[in-house]
Amino acid sequence: MGDSSANMAIETTKPWDEMDAYERKVITVVHAQGFRDGGVDVTEERMLRILTLGSPKCVFAYQGDELKYARVHKDSVKIMKLLCNQYLEKSFLEENEEEIKQMLDDAKEGI
């Protein structure tokens, strides 16, 4: 990232609720792909749900109209780590939803 003082001159910090759709999409896609690269099964939809729940502040670095990078602000990292550790991977119920529904249907028929 080079000289941090030079980077700070192009950085803007925004709370989640002040980001536009493009900025939210960037943060979501980048984080989802980073976790997938690390072997975690996560969709962009799930990552968006986690980010929305955590409402992090995020940093965007623009040079003119071009976005150079984006990241979660250091003030929001702790809560986002907690949420990701708890909710990132699909739950058993989500992964097996159809099988569970079928089991419940079969059980209802037997009652």
Side-chain angles (χ1 to χ4, degrees):
M1 294 198 351
D3 180 18
S4 64
S5 61
N7 288 342
M8 291 180 73
I10 64 171
E11 291 183 349
T12 301
T13 300
K14 292 185 179 183
W16 185 256
D17 61 348
E18 292 180 14
M19 291 179 218
D20 62 31
Y22 171 75
E23 291 166 330
R24 287 183 183 192
K25 181 73 171 177
V26 167
I27 289 290
T28 300
V29 169
V30 167
H31 281 78
Q33 188 59 50
F35 280 105
R36 285 192 296 261
D37 290 348
V40 177
D41 180 22
V42 63
T43 64
E44 289 173 15
E45 293 78 15
R46 186 164 194 84
M47 182 57 65
L48 178 60
R49 287 174 56 198
I50 293 168
L51 287 163
T52 301
L53 180 64
S55 297
K57 288 193 289 186
C58 295
V59 176
F60 299 91
Y62 286 99
Q63 283 187 327
D65 289 337
E66 184 181 355
L67 179 62
K68 293 296 190 178
Y69 61 87
R71 60 179 167 77
V72 171
H73 189 276
K74 66 181 179 179
D75 292 349
S76 298
V77 168
K78 188 174 182 178
I79 188 68
M80 292 312 303
K81 280 185 179 181
L82 175 68
L83 289 171
C84 287
N85 286 340
Q86 292 297 316
Y87 301 113
L88 195 58
E89 292 199 70
K90 289 183 177 180
S91 71
F92 175 80
L93 293 174
E94 288 173 318
E95 288 180 350
N96 300 288
E97 184 175 3
E98 291 305 314
E99 291 176 39
I100 292 169
K101 283 180 182 178
Q102 185 61 51
M103 287 171 41
L104 291 172
D105 288 344
D106 292 347
K108 287 177 189 174
E109 289 177 13
I111 293 176

